[in-house]
Every structure is written in structure tokens, then in C-alpha cells.
């Protein structure tokens, strides 16, 4: 792994670690119910904003046609983010949640706006493979988040005030660092040409639907727990499931780092190198997951007591289920990055639709009977379906590409 990739990984781990520390602080100085509110806010807003993202960052990175400029991507991101915020704010009004939960959802929606703008700005930086700059941005946001929740939440125990101050800090980092670094490579003036935005929307919407389905798939267990069990159980599940979040950050860091290279190799017909790199990444992910499983299995109860509380530590069965599911997270996620690098977005829609349906049905049946462990079972089953389906889709895509190369050579 290159030094730039290691720095990028460090930035993402710091970012993810911040989210983990926030959950620990909410448990230690708040309550599982507050963790439940925070997690519900993330779970409600995530699919809405993921759909609005359209994964424009990946489309920007792999686009080699020259048909679109950054202003087109930026303009579309601003439009879709405004729509997403309107939907999320409307949900807060009609949801029927108590006013504190509704306000948490509202402020997390504001945080999502800043996150969305930062994401597309860093997309042009990533296209230039300046992973070091992205690392600095994410590390700064993560460390600032920890600072704010330490200074604000511990003395006040106000989640809403903590979120508000964190949003202001993120806005400052996005404005004075992310935007400045992106401006070094392109103009940041957004374009709103209706025809161009419509064409870009058509190109990117399949991947946006996939992102929304992926986010929905991640949060279905939380919806089920919130409906069948309540905020306390939701807080316990969310606290322990941050292991999955930590795995996803490692996956995201390495996946985003290799996506441009996989895209170039696929476009050049260098599928042997494509498969070799993907295999190495999966093997490394499985190794890290196996180590985590061994450590968690041996010292899980002591670790949970130290990080959270004796009450949360009683859910050692859930902890072990989630540890095992990280194996599926690594494999299925790297396969998804590989499929994305090929530019084949539409094939992912039925794949993740099947995954979400499987997860939903499993949680509907298992959560009432087995509680939080039933939610982990449903999530694992969904990940297994995603993994098998991804292998089928990627094998088909690479097979078709190889046949095309052979036809071109024969001609």
C-alpha cells in the first residue's frame, strides 16, 4: 500500500473513530435512549441524502468522456441536496416523534447538507489522486467532532446544542479547506443548465438509487428495533453496530483509493491486474476481520464494559454476531467498489433491491422473536445475498468486457 493510501486510511479511521467516540460519550454521559435518538436521526436521514448524492463523486472520478465539467456535478449536487433537506425537514414535521427527536433529525439533516457539499468538493481532489488532502480534511472533522462533544455535551448533556456547534465547525472546514483545495484544480462555480443536469441525472441516478438501497439496507435493522422494541434497545444495537461502521470506514478508505486505478484498468482491458488487485484487497479485509473476531471473542465482555457499561456488555451475543458479519462487510463492499469502477450502475439496482427485501423480511420475522440479535441475523443474511449477487454481476461484467476485447483483436 502506498504512503498516500496509508494517509488516506488514517484520515478515514480518525473520522470513523470520532463517530465511535461520540457514541461512547453519549453512553457514558448520557443514556442509551440518547444514543437511540442520535442513531434514529442518522438512520432516517441517511437513505434520503444517499439518494440525493447520486454517488456523483464516483461518477466524477471515473468520468473520462470530458462531456461534463465540475460545475455540472456541483450544480446537480446543490439541487438534489436542497430537495433532500426539504424532504427530511418535512418528515420532522409529520413524523409524530416527540419534539426532541424531531429536532435531532432536523439538525442531523443540516449536518448532512455540509457533508454533501464537502463530498463533491473532495471528489475533484480525489480525481487528482491527492488523497493526502482528503485525509487532512477528514481527520480535522473527526477531531473537531470529538472536541465539541467533549466540551459541549459532557457539561450540558444537550445533543441538539452539540450537533449545532459541530455543524458550524464542519462548515468552517468545508469552506476554508475543502473549497480552497478543490479550487486549485477547477472553478467552483456551479452550473445549472437544465439539459446538461438532466443528462447527468440520467447517468448517475442508477447509482443514486443503489446508494439509497445500500443505506436502507444498513438501517433496516434499526427501523425494526425502533418499531418493535424502542429507543433503549435501538441505542444498544447502534452502539455495538459501530464496529460495522468502523469496518466500512476502512473499506471506504481503501475502496476509494483503488477505484480510479480499477476504472483505468477496466477501460484499458487489463482485467488480470483488475482481478489481482481486487483479490488482494479482499484477502487483506478478511485477515483484518478475522483478527477482530478473535480479539472480540476473547475479550468482548471486558471491552464492552470499559467502553460502554455493564448493561451494554450483557449483549455479548449481539457483539459476536456483529463481529462475524464484518467478514461479509469486507467482501461484499470491495466487490461493490469493483462493480462501480466498471461503470455498470444499472445492474446494481436489482442486486441491492434483493438485498434490502431479504434484510427487511428477515428483520420483520426475527426482531419480534429474538430482539437485537434477530436484527443482526437479518443484516447478516442481507450481506450474504449482496456478496453472492455481487460475484455474479462482476463475473458477468468482466466476462463481457473480455469478449469485447477479443472481438476487437480479431477484427
Amino acid at each position: 500500500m502506498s504512503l498516500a493510501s496509508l494517509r488516506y486510511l488514517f484520515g478515514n479511521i480518525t473520522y470513523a473513530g470520532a463517530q465511535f467516540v461520540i457514541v461512547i460519550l453519549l453512553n457514558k454521559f448520557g443514556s442509551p435512549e440518547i444514543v437511540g435518538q442520535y442513531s434514529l436521526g442518522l438512520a432516517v436521514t441517511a437513505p434520503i441524502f444517499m439518494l440525493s448524492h447520486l454517488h456523483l463523486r464516483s461518477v466524477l472520478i471515473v468520468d473520462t468522456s470530458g462531456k461534463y465539467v465540475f460545475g455540472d456535478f456541483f450544480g446537480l449536487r446543490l439541487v438534489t441536496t436542497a430537495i433532500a433537506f426539504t424532504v427530511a425537514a418535512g418528515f420532522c414535521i409529520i413524523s409524530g416523534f416527540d419534539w426532541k427527536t424531531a429536532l435531532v433529525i432536523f439538525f442531523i439533516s443540516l449536518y448532512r447538507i455540509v457533508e454533501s457539499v464537502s463530498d463533491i468538493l473532495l471528489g475533484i481532489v480525489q480525481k487528482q489522486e491527492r488523497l493526502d488532502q482528503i485525509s487532512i480534511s477528514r481527520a480535522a472533522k473527526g477531531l473537531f467532532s470529538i472536541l465539541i462533544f467533549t466540551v459541549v455535551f459532557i457539561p450540558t448533556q444537550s445533543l441538539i446544542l452539540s450537533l449545532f456547534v459541530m455543524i458550524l465547525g464542519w462548515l468552517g472546514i468545508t469552506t476554508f479547506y475543502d473549497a480552497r483545495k478543490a479550487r486549485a484544480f477547477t472553478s467552483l462555480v456551479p452550473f445549472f443548465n437544465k439539459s446538461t443536469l438532466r443528462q447527468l441525472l440520467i447517468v448517475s441516478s442508477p447509482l443514486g438509487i443503489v446508494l439509497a438501497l445500500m443505506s436502507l439496507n444498513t438501517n433496516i435493522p434499526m427501523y425494526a428495533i425502533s418499531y418493535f422494541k424502542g429507543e433503549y434497545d435501538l441505542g444498544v444495537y447502534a452502539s455495538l453496530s459501530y464496529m460495522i461502521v468502523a469496518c466500512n470506514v476502512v473499506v471506504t478508505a481503501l475502496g476509494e483509493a483503488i477505484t480510479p486505478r480499477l476504472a483505468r484498468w477496466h477501460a484499458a482491458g487489463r482485467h488480470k491486474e483488475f482481478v489481482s488487485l481486487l483479490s488482494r484487497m479482499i484477502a487483506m479485509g478478511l485477515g483484518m476481520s478475522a483478527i477482530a473476531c478473535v480479539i472480540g471473542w476473547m475479550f468482548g465482555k471486558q471491552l464492552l464494559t470499559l467502553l460502554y457499561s455493564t448493561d451494554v456488555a450483557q449483549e455479548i451475543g449481539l457483539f459476536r454476531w456483529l463481529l462475524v458479519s464484518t467478514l461479509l462487510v469486507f467482501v461484499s463492499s470491495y466487490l461493490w467498489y469493483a462493480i462501480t469502477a466498471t461503470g455498470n450502475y444499472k445492474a446494481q439496482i436489482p442486486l441491492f433491491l434483493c438485498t434490502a427485501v431479504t434484510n427487511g423480511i428477515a428483520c420483520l420475522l426475527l426482531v419480534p422473536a429474538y430482539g437485537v440479535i434477530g436484527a443482526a441475523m437479518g443484516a447478516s443474511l442481507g450481506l450474504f445475498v449482496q456478496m453472492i449477487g455481487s460475484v455474479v454481476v462482476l463475473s458477468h461484467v468482466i466476462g463481457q468486457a473480455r469478449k469485447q476485447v477479443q472481438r476487437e483483436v480479431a477484427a
Side-chain angles (χ1 to χ4, degrees), residues 64-296:
T64 56
S65 66
K67 184 177 181 180
Y68 306 104
V69 296
F70 177 77
D72 299 321
F73 290 94
F74 194 23
L76 183 58
R77 172 58 61 86
L78 292 178
V79 171
T80 57
T81 299
I83 294 172
F85 176 74
T86 302
V87 172
F91 180 82
C92 292
I93 296 172
I94 66 174
S95 63
F97 291 124
D98 64 86
W99 69 271
K100 285 187 178 180
T101 302
L103 268 181
V104 169
I105 296 173
F106 176 79
F107 276 99
I108 289 179
S109 298
L110 291 176
Y111 147 77
R112 297 284 190 192
I113 292 177
V114 181
E115 185 182 47
S116 294
V117 174
S118 174
D119 176 76
I120 197 65
L121 291 174
L122 293 178
I124 193 64
V125 177
Q126 184 183 349
K127 188 166 186 174
Q128 306 300 321
E129 300 193 38
R130 291 304 307 268
L131 301 181
D132 55 326
Q133 296 178 357
I134 300 175
S135 174
I136 293 172
S137 172
R138 289 185 171 171
K141 290 168 187 170
L143 294 173
F144 182 81
S145 299
I146 294 174
L147 175 64
I148 292 305
F149 271 80
T150 301
V151 173
V152 178
F153 181 77
I154 292 178
T156 67
Q157 294 191 357
S158 172
L159 177 58
I160 293 171
L161 179 60
S162 303
L163 287 171
F164 175 70
V165 179
M166 187 183 77
I167 290 167
L168 293 180
W170 275 49
L171 183 60
I173 295 171
T174 300
T175 302
F176 297 108
Y177 184 83
D178 298 347
R180 185 167 60 87
K181 294 302 180 182
R183 192 178 293 113
F185 302 111
T186 186
S187 169
L188 300 187
V189 177
F191 296 152
F192 299 100
N193 181 280
K194 291 183 179 179
S195 176
T196 303
L197 294 189
R198 188 182 303 112
Q199 293 174 11
L200 186 55
L201 177 64
I202 293 172
V203 171
S204 59
S205 57
L207 198 50
I209 295 172
V210 169
L211 273 183
L213 289 173
M214 289 175 66
S215 178
L216 180 65
N217 189 53
T218 300
N219 291 299
I220 281 174
M222 294 192 185
Y223 301 150
I225 294 171
S226 177
Y227 181 79
F228 289 113
K229 297 298 178 181
E231 286 186 349
Y232 179 88
D233 285 339
L234 176 60
V236 171
Y237 180 88
S239 298
L240 298 186
S241 66
Y242 263 81
M243 290 176 306
I244 306 297
V245 175
C247 285
N248 275 327
V249 169
V250 176
V251 168
T252 299
L254 299 178
E256 289 181 351
I258 66 173
T259 295
R261 189 179 307 172
L262 289 176
R264 290 195 300 270
W265 284 349
H266 176 72
R270 297 171 59 183
H271 294 106
K272 184 177 179 180
E273 292 94 332
F274 183 103
V275 174
S276 176
L277 177 58
L278 176 60
S279 300
R280 292 198 303 272
M281 299 305 294
I282 290 176
M284 183 174 64
L286 290 175
M288 289 189 292
S289 182
I291 293 171
C293 285
V294 171
I295 295 174

Side-chain angles (χ1 to χ4, degrees), residues 14-36:
T14 304
Y15 181 86
Q19 303 304 310
F20 189 52
V21 171
I22 287 172
V23 171
I24 293 174
L25 292 174
L26 294 179
N27 270 286
K28 289 287 188 181
F29 300 97
S31 66
E33 286 79 8
I34 291 179
V35 179

